[in-house]
Amino acid sequence: MAPLQVHIKHAGKTLDVQLNPDLPPTAFKDAIYQLTGVPPDRMKVMIKGGMLKDDTDWKKVAPKAGQTFTVIGAAGELPKPPEKPILFLEGEIRSCSLGNTCYMNSTVQAMRAIPELQIALSTQVLLTAPLDVLPRALRDLYSNMSRTTESVIPSTFISVLRRVIPQFNELDRSKAGGLAGYAQQDAEECWIQMTNALKEVPGIDVSGASVAGKKFVDQFLMGEIRREQNDEAPEEPSAVTTERVLKIECNITISTNYMHTGIMDVSISSGTDGCQPDPLLQSLNSKLTKNSPTLGRDAIYSQTSRFSRLPSYLTVHMIRFAWRQDIGKKAKIMRKVKFATEFDALDIATPELKDKLTPVSRRLKEIEKERSERRKVRKRTKNAAQASAPAPLSTEEASMNVDESAALPTAGDLEEESVYCARELSELEALVDPELKADFGCSVTGLYDLVGESHFTCELFLLLTRIGYMLAIVTHKGAQADAGHYIGFVKKSVSHGSKPAVTAASGQTSSSGEQFDEDDEDWYKFDDDKVSIFPKEKLSTIDGGGEDSAAYLLLYRSKSLA
């Protein structure tokens, strides 16, 4: 049903508001809150026969265009608009914060970096068939963002999110004498909860059409881990289990300096910054104590975990918060941990999967070096042509340089880049394992580019991204677990990429169309309403090491063959 224009009467004033019968009453109440300042938990909306409740069925209310609703409740402070106009670079879509919603903004923008998700949400079968309220609200939000270059206020989506996931409806009553506002939440928890809510979205095939019996999350976001346990008794057989996972955890201890180390190994007894790590957290190589039926006592088991399936999108959670016993609450682990913008996942794969990935992975690395050399040659030739003519060389200088110049290739010696690309793609596709090629949505290379990262500060870093191969970061700034701010970073070269076209042979997305400088390694920094250029040399400043921005969520995308 199309949205209706209705009226509300409050404190002697009549105001116009939009009512969407396809959304829950909480969305309508939130729209009223934006106009009147009456918090939803203290608001009464009168309807025929009683009061509008959060679970009221709009079909029974049967609202009509132009209808007037009476609203009762004391108004608090109205939601404040941004102090300055929101400025964004051309082509980037921004999402306004509604107060302690940075966790949601960064998650929504991070998921927008997954073009296959928008394709799955917009397939024809979902346009005609019922869809759960949260995926439908996300689809509508993305649709609104794609139709405008102005700011988008996600009031409807946050209302649906708070209704579907009550955790995000919690109020913060910590400020004495002040009105209770919505509490700050965790971006990682929002990512997992939203991913779980998307589990019933149908999967897609290489043409972008819905596929019966498959789910999008299972295809593109879900990995499979095989865990093998061995204890001290050699005669006891190994215990092998498999588990489906949506993320990898990077455990940070007093000895963790690199993301890869935190993923592979962790010592449960070694905390950092006075924080005690959660004993339930597991690295890929770990030890645990449990009863051994063979020895008849507690024994130390060695557990080795490796991925038997790598998804197209790999999420890494930097464990930045842990319990501090001395202060009795969670605190931030501020240790500096370096993360990679390119991640080789072969080390975390099972031997069987590694054997399947190695041929194409090895050749892709070689081809990337060849592509880089060709770009350098073309750029050098272009710069030389644009430069003014050099001064004539003496006979002696010319004879000294003739051998050197002859050894250097020129752009004239190269074929068109499209010729190389077609040849490379054909070669790589022939190396892809048939089982991996048939599993559309898995990684066929085992090599990843960073496409998203989240860090916590005392403010919010909005992760704003466009469709394409992107590098983006969500970070956390601040020392408290229940406060802070998220900021987003997007690599310029991928931010200016074009919409993907799914290739049937590789099962990956490739971009074509708009050209950009592939040698430009700088980033865009999205700090709420401020957008600026972030030099690549400064990426090391968001590794952590203090209360400033520290990487929190990392989203990696499997490298394309094209």
Side-chain angles (χ1 to χ4, degrees):
M1 186 181 297
L4 306 174
Q5 290 296 329
V6 298
H7 313 294
I8 59 169
K9 184 176 291 186
H10 176 258
K13 298 180 180 179
T14 301
L15 304 170
D16 297 330
V17 67
Q18 190 177 77
L19 187 158
N20 190 341
D22 292 333
L23 297 176
T26 52
F28 182 52
K29 289 183 179 180
D30 190 78
I32 296 175
Y33 167 57
Q34 303 299 321
L35 291 174
T36 64
V38 180
D41 60 326
R42 297 189 303 176
M43 178 191 303
K44 294 182 179 179
V45 180
M46 308 309 297
I47 59 176
K48 185 177 180 180
M51 186 173 64
L52 182 67
K53 298 181 179 180
D54 291 348
D55 58 354
T56 298
D57 188 350
W58 282 119
K59 292 181 180 179
K60 296 181 179 179
V61 179
K64 299 178 181 179
Q67 184 175 342
T68 300
F69 295 86
T70 300
V71 177
I72 301 173
E77 185 178 3
L78 281 170
K80 293 181 178 179
E83 295 180 1
K84 300 178 182 179
I86 299 179
L87 303 176
F88 278 80
L89 299 178
E90 182 178 359
E92 297 298 340
I93 307 299
R94 60 273 194 188
S95 175
C96 296
S97 177
L98 299 175
N100 275 351
T101 59
C102 55
Y103 67 92
M104 180 274 296
N105 285 333
S106 59
T107 301
V108 167
Q109 296 285 12
M111 286 188 170
R112 194 165 180 260
I114 305 175
E116 295 88 348
L117 174 59
Q118 298 186 60
I119 294 173
L121 289 172
S122 302
T123 54
Q124 185 62 35
V125 65
L126 291 186
L127 296 178
T128 57
L131 187 64
D132 286 345
V133 61
L134 186 59
R136 184 169 67 241
L138 183 63
R139 179 191 64 194
D140 294 343
L141 176 59
Y142 285 153
S143 177
N144 292 336
M145 294 173 71
S146 66
R147 290 198 299 262
T148 181
T149 57
E150 302 298 324
S151 60
V152 174
I153 301 177
S155 56
T156 298
F157 180 79
I158 188 64
S159 297
V160 172
L161 181 70
R162 287 167 175 161
R163 173 176 174 264
V164 174
I165 309 172
Q167 168 188 348
F168 301 133
N169 201 36
E170 295 175 354
L171 298 178
D172 180 8
R173 304 182 186 275
S174 60
K175 296 181 180 179
L179 292 174
Y182 287 106
Q184 176 64 291
Q185 301 290 342
D186 190 306
E188 184 269 338
E189 292 179 0
C190 186
W191 175 273
I192 294 299
Q193 293 283 6
M194 285 184 58
T195 303
N196 287 332
L198 294 171
K199 283 186 175 180
E200 292 306 312
V201 174
I204 57 175
D205 60 17
V206 293
S207 67
S210 290
V211 178
K214 290 190 176 182
K215 303 298 181 184
F216 170 81
V217 171
D218 293 340
Q219 280 184 295
F220 293 93
L221 299 175
M222 189 74 72
E224 186 176 277
I225 283 183
R226 187 179 71 189
R227 304 192 190 277
E228 183 175 349
Q229 290 184 4
N230 296 282
D231 79 343
E232 304 169 18
E235 62 273 18
E236 184 172 330
S238 300
V240 179
T241 59
T242 58
E243 179 183 351
R244 288 150 54 85
V245 296
L246 287 170
K247 63 177 180 176
I248 308 177
E249 290 171 336
C250 175
N251 301 285
I252 303 175
T253 70
I254 198 170
S255 60
T256 306
N257 295 316
Y258 298 93
M259 181 189 77
H260 186 272
T261 306
I263 291 173
M264 297 298 295
D265 301 287
V266 63
S267 174
I268 293 301
S269 61
S270 59
T272 183
D273 297 334
C275 296
Q276 298 299 317
D278 188 340
L280 295 178
L281 296 178
Q282 294 180 331
S283 64
L284 297 185
N285 298 327
S286 60
K287 294 183 181 297
L288 62 154
T289 302
K290 68 176 187 176
N291 184 267
S292 170
T294 303
L295 299 176
R297 59 172 175 81
D298 286 346
I300 298 177
Y301 283 74
S302 296
Q303 178 171 273
T304 302
S305 305
R306 294 293 183 268
F307 275 82
S308 56
R309 182 187 190 270
L310 287 166
S312 288
Y313 293 89
L314 194 63
T315 304
V316 177
H317 176 208
M318 310 289 279
I319 308 297
R320 282 285 174 189
F321 302 108
W323 184 261
R324 282 196 60 169
Q325 205 163 10
D326 56 339
I327 60 176
K329 63 179 181 180
K330 272 190 174 183
K332 183 178 179 181
I333 300 175
M334 300 183 187
R335 185 174 181 82
K336 186 179 183 70
V337 179
K338 295 182 180 297
F339 59 88
T341 56
E342 294 186 355
F343 181 47
D344 187 341
L346 266 64
D347 288 342
I348 65 173
T350 61
E352 296 82 3
L353 179 59
K354 188 174 182 178
D355 289 342
K356 295 177 181 179
L357 294 171
T358 296
V360 65
S361 173
R362 182 189 296 124
R363 182 58 186 135
L364 180 57
K365 289 180 180 179
E366 295 171 352
I367 287 176
E368 286 183 333
K369 291 181 181 179
E370 295 169 5
R371 291 171 181 169
S372 177
E373 289 301 318
R374 292 199 300 270
R375 285 198 299 270
K376 290 179 182 178
V377 171
R378 296 182 194 279
K379 188 173 183 179
R380 183 170 61 242
T381 304
K382 180 180 179 181
N383 292 340
Q386 293 176 346
S388 57
L393 298 177
S394 65
T395 304
E396 181 180 357
E397 291 174 326
S399 62
M400 291 175 60
N401 291 338
V402 64
D403 293 337
E404 179 181 353
S405 60
L408 292 175
T410 64
D413 299 329
L414 300 176
E415 300 178 87
E416 290 292 330
E417 188 62 24
S418 59
V419 176
Y420 289 103
C421 290
R423 187 183 306 151
E424 292 164 351
L425 179 59
S426 177
E427 180 182 357
L428 289 171
E429 288 176 343
L431 295 174
V432 175
D433 184 90
E435 291 184 9
L436 298 181
K437 186 180 295 187
D439 184 6
F440 180 58
C442 78
S443 172
V444 298
T445 64
L447 303 176
Y448 289 85
D449 283 327
L450 180 67
V451 297
E453 182 267 339
S454 163
H455 68 257
F456 196 43
T457 80
C458 273
E459 308 158 16
L460 162 69
F461 292 132
L462 289 182
L463 178 63
L464 300 185
T465 54
R466 290 182 61 185
I467 297 177
Y469 301 110
M470 19 193 100
L471 297 174
I473 303 169
V474 180
T475 59
H476 179 277
K477 180 179 179 181
Q480 298 180 350
D482 55 355
H485 183 70
Y486 294 97
I487 299 178
F489 298 85
V490 178
K491 195 174 183 182
K492 288 178 64 179
S493 60
V494 289
S495 180
H496 290 291
S498 58
K499 294 185 178 181
V502 179
T503 60
S506 64
Q508 303 289 320
T509 53
S510 61
S511 59
S512 60
E514 182 182 352
Q515 299 296 317
F516 55 85
D517 185 357
E518 295 184 18
D519 294 326
D520 190 346
E521 297 293 326
D522 289 340
W523 294 58
Y524 289 133
K525 176 182 177 180
F526 297 90
D527 185 357
D528 276 346
D529 59 340
K530 303 179 186 68
V531 178
S532 58
I533 301 298
F534 192 77
K536 66 173 182 178
E537 293 80 8
K538 290 188 176 182
L539 278 179
S540 59
T541 63
I542 56 177
D543 288 339
E547 294 188 13
D548 207 349
S549 304
Y552 186 47
L553 279 180
L554 303 164
L555 179 63
Y556 287 89
R557 178 175 180 169
S558 180
K559 287 191 176 185
S560 168
L561 301 183

